[in-house]
Amino acid sequence: MSKHNQLDYLDELEAEAIHILREVAGQFERPALLFSGGKDSITLVRLAEKAFRPGKFPFPLVHIDTGHNFIETIEYRDAMVKRLGEKLIVGSVQDSIDQGKVVEQKGKNASRNALQTVTLLDTIAHHKFDACIGGARRDEEKARAKERIFSVRDEFGQWDPKRQRPELWNIYNGKIHKGENVRVFPISNWTELDVWNYIRREKIDLPTIYFAHERDTIVRNGQLMAASPVLNMDEEDIIERRTVRFRTVGDMTCTAAVASDAFLIDDIIDEISASKISERGARMDDKVSEAAMEDRKKGGYF
């Protein structure tokens, strides 16, 4: 693909995403943009800037914080919110634990990732959000491909893949009953490579963990993990200094690194183009079962 055609293609993806964001602003009373600190949600923020500047965003940013996030992600989030001057709402998994709404897992492979669902649903209910914008992509995981751009959730936050609404001619139906909400995916038609090409074109800054860096790591279940007390490490875990980067960003207990010397965006794009492993291959939580993601989505996970 020539550079000229590639830019035209990115322009089309950008225009579609901006149209969807404006549809959300027009159809819903209390939307929110779910922000994880990852490259996809960062891309959504840039798209929101293009859709609504010089005005304020018609929605707050919402981060569901497990308490086990990478410090680089939290620092990036706080600096970005300060730069934008937009509202940030943080839902805390630790608060859900303290309130007895969820029970923290025990054992070596314990993770707070699955506990996010309760915190997310509580945050949606507390603020009465009727639409939540997220950065899911069509190539991210096979359950994601079953979603529509406007994905309706029932009054319990649950998703039924058999009751998806048709979306013909880019017409998005945001009509919902009281208590329901819609998850909206403006970059549904993007791939991981599209996101990186867009980040390069737009010169978007990212958390440093996306780029190759030296880090203390351990091998856990065949994956390279960032050495951290939240992994419940013991004497069997051998810490080694490695040059790694992260393709996806989430809870430290379930997000694996990849060995990499990709220090620059061009290097990352070349690396992804040659990879035969999907981005979600570095997420431990997706390896629980073949339907792990779909099961979590049915229960209210984003």
Side-chain angles (χ1 to χ4, degrees), residues 80-256:
M80 185 201 71
V81 169
K82 183 178 180 180
R83 173 182 64 82
L84 291 172
E86 297 292 344
K87 182 178 180 181
L88 172 68
I89 295 171
V90 178
S92 169
V93 171
Q94 184 63 56
D95 287 347
S96 298
I97 294 170
D98 293 342
Q99 294 164 10
K101 294 182 176 180
V102 294
V103 177
E104 188 149 24
Q105 296 178 358
K106 305 296 183 183
K108 194 166 184 176
N109 292 313
S111 173
R112 288 185 174 183
N113 193 59
L115 308 184
Q116 293 182 86
T117 298
V118 171
T119 308
L120 171 61
L121 295 178
D122 281 351
T123 303
I124 291 172
H126 177 74
H127 294 279
K128 299 180 181 179
F129 293 133
D130 52 4
C132 293
I133 303 161
R137 307 183 320 268
R138 63 183 173 87
D139 70 328
E140 187 178 0
E141 201 276 342
K142 58 187 179 183
R144 299 291 199 194
K146 295 183 180 180
E147 294 269 22
R148 298 293 189 265
I149 291 174
F150 276 28
S151 180
V152 178
R153 305 300 173 97
D154 66 20
E155 63 271 27
F156 303 106
Q158 296 176 330
W159 173 66
D160 184 351
K162 296 180 180 179
R163 298 181 62 188
Q164 295 289 288
R165 295 174 176 176
E167 291 178 337
L168 307 175
W169 306 291
N170 294 331
I171 296 175
Y172 306 110
N173 180 3
K175 294 182 179 179
I176 55 175
H177 297 292
K178 185 175 181 179
E180 295 179 336
N181 66 83
V182 174
R183 309 292 171 86
V184 181
F185 306 112
I187 59 172
S188 281
N189 290 323
W190 299 43
T191 65
E192 181 186 12
L193 200 56
D194 295 331
V195 170
W196 276 105
N197 279 320
Y198 188 74
I199 287 168
R200 176 172 62 181
R201 188 184 86 170
E202 296 293 311
K203 299 180 172 61
I204 300 173
D205 290 330
L206 294 176
T208 56
I209 58 176
Y210 276 112
F211 301 90
H213 59 285
E214 285 193 356
R215 196 178 202 105
D216 287 342
T217 64
I218 64 170
V219 177
R220 176 71 59 86
N221 299 322
Q223 298 268 35
L224 289 176
M225 308 294 291
S228 169
V230 304
L231 267 66
N232 296 331
M233 294 167 54
D234 57 31
E235 64 278 359
E236 294 180 356
D237 293 309
I238 300 173
I239 298 177
E240 293 188 30
R241 194 77 173 171
R242 295 181 173 92
T243 301
V244 299
R245 75 176 194 86
F246 293 84
R247 287 178 69 181
T248 181
V249 173
D251 188 290
M252 292 183 71
T253 58
C254 64
T255 306

Side-chain angles (χ1 to χ4, degrees), residues 5-23 42-52 149 170 172 185-191 194-195 197-204:
N5 288 335
Q6 183 186 69
L7 292 180
D8 287 345
Y9 176 55
L10 291 176
D11 285 340
E12 290 178 6
L13 290 175
E14 178 189 73
E16 178 188 51
I18 288 172
H19 169 67
I20 293 166
L21 288 170
R22 289 173 176 166
E23 281 288 307
I42 291 170
T43 296
L44 283 178
V45 170
R46 172 56 59 87
L47 292 165
E49 289 184 89
K50 292 197 171 190
F52 304 112
I149 291 174
N170 294 331
Y172 306 110
F185 306 112
I187 59 172
S188 281
N189 290 323
W190 299 43
T191 65
D194 295 331
V195 170
N197 279 320
Y198 188 74
I199 287 168
R200 176 172 62 181
R201 188 184 86 170
E202 296 293 311
K203 299 180 172 61
I204 300 173

Side-chain angles (χ1 to χ4, degrees), residues 55-74:
K56 299 282 286 184
F57 292 176
F59 38 68
L61 306 182
V62 175
H63 182 212
I64 304 303
D65 184 1
T66 66
H68 291 168
N69 295 99
F70 291 90
I71 186 62
E72 296 95 329
T73 304
I74 299 301

